[in-house]
Amino acid sequence: MILIGQYDSPFVRRVGLALTLYGHGFEHRPWSSFGDVEKLIELNPLARVPTLVTEAGDVLTDSHVILAWLDELAAPEAVLMPADPDERRRALRVIGLSTGLGEVAVSLFYEMRLHVEASDLLVGRRRRQIAGTLAALEAVSAAAPEAALFGGRLGHADIALAASLRFVREAHPGLFDAAAHPSLAARTARLEALPAFQTISQAFIPPN
């Protein structure tokens, strides 16, 4: 398999982490949707990352779609989601909040970086969304066991949380206050110290 995209994207990173935790070998091509758009568009007309080329030659895009397919490949007991229906529902809520946090943080960065004059209304709205989502995730993290959020083992909720929070902290310094979110800070520090998170990692590189 071939995973296309840079690991400073929370969406590319969560796919890379899932591939690694599932034990799949894959080639990583760190193409940018800005600098490598011509190469990317030959595979994916949306020119978006992550893009995954399967061993059969199919091209999948969007992290939710890719991870749903990877879950189908896994043995039921190995799927990175809790088996208990109630815990699964709670995990899906955290995944939705975490990936939404990443989307809003990316949108805020583009608004502030790629426009001659940023919209004060949009910037204010995005910052409010980020603050509210961080507060909600802090509450979930503080109430969860230390090792993993759900099911007693690392799963998609943990991956999505760590990937999006790192993007927020690196793309928007100052929007995450570790003192105000101590459980998130401690939890993501533990995750980032794990071998898979150390391997599937890249410092944020602002697009040119």
Side-chain angles (χ1 to χ4, degrees):
M1 287 188 276
I2 304 171
L3 174 60
I4 297 170
Q6 298 186 359
Y7 289 146
D8 61 351
S9 158
F11 310 106
V12 176
R13 193 180 187 212
R14 69 188 292 244
V15 172
L17 284 165
L19 283 164
T20 301
L21 292 172
Y22 274 139
H24 293 297
F26 65 97
E27 176 188 343
H28 178 221
R29 295 182 185 175
W31 295 355
S32 165
S33 56
F34 286 84
D36 300 298
V37 65
E38 294 303 324
K39 290 191 293 185
L40 185 56
I41 207 167
E42 291 181 7
L43 291 173
N44 176 1
L46 291 169
R48 294 176 60 185
V49 294
T51 291
L52 183 75
V53 183
T54 72
E55 292 176 346
D58 296 316
V59 178
L60 302 178
T61 188
D62 188 278
S63 60
H64 294 293
V65 171
I66 295 169
L67 294 180
W69 179 70
L70 291 177
D71 289 348
E72 290 178 3
L73 297 182
E77 67 275 8
V79 174
L80 297 172
M81 287 289 286
D84 179 79
D86 290 335
E87 285 203 326
R88 183 179 181 86
R89 185 183 67 253
R90 290 193 289 270
L92 287 169
R93 174 177 179 262
V94 170
I95 292 168
L97 286 171
S98 298
T99 56
L101 175 66
E103 291 166 358
V104 169
V106 170
S107 172
L108 175 59
F109 180 82
Y110 287 165
E111 179 66 24
M112 297 176 66
R113 180 66 179 259
L114 301 182
H115 291 78
V116 174
E117 185 174 345
S119 164
D120 291 339
L121 179 64
L122 184 57
V123 168
R125 176 178 173 83
R126 294 290 182 257
R127 287 178 172 167
R128 182 178 180 183
Q129 289 173 297
I130 289 171
T133 305
L134 288 174
L137 290 170
E138 172 67 18
V140 172
S141 179
E146 287 191 1
L149 288 167
F150 305 103
R153 63 188 179 91
L154 200 66
H156 286 310
D158 305 275
I159 293 169
L161 175 66
S164 290
L165 191 58
R166 177 165 175 176
F167 180 84
V168 169
R169 298 180 77 165
E170 294 193 358
H172 302 288
L175 289 190
F176 179 81
D177 181 357
H181 306 89
S183 181
L184 284 179
R187 181 177 299 279
T188 53
R190 291 192 297 270
L191 290 170
E192 293 291 357
L194 296 175
F197 286 78
Q198 291 281 305
T199 300
I200 309 299
S201 177
Q202 177 188 320
F204 178 62
I205 302 174
N208 296 318

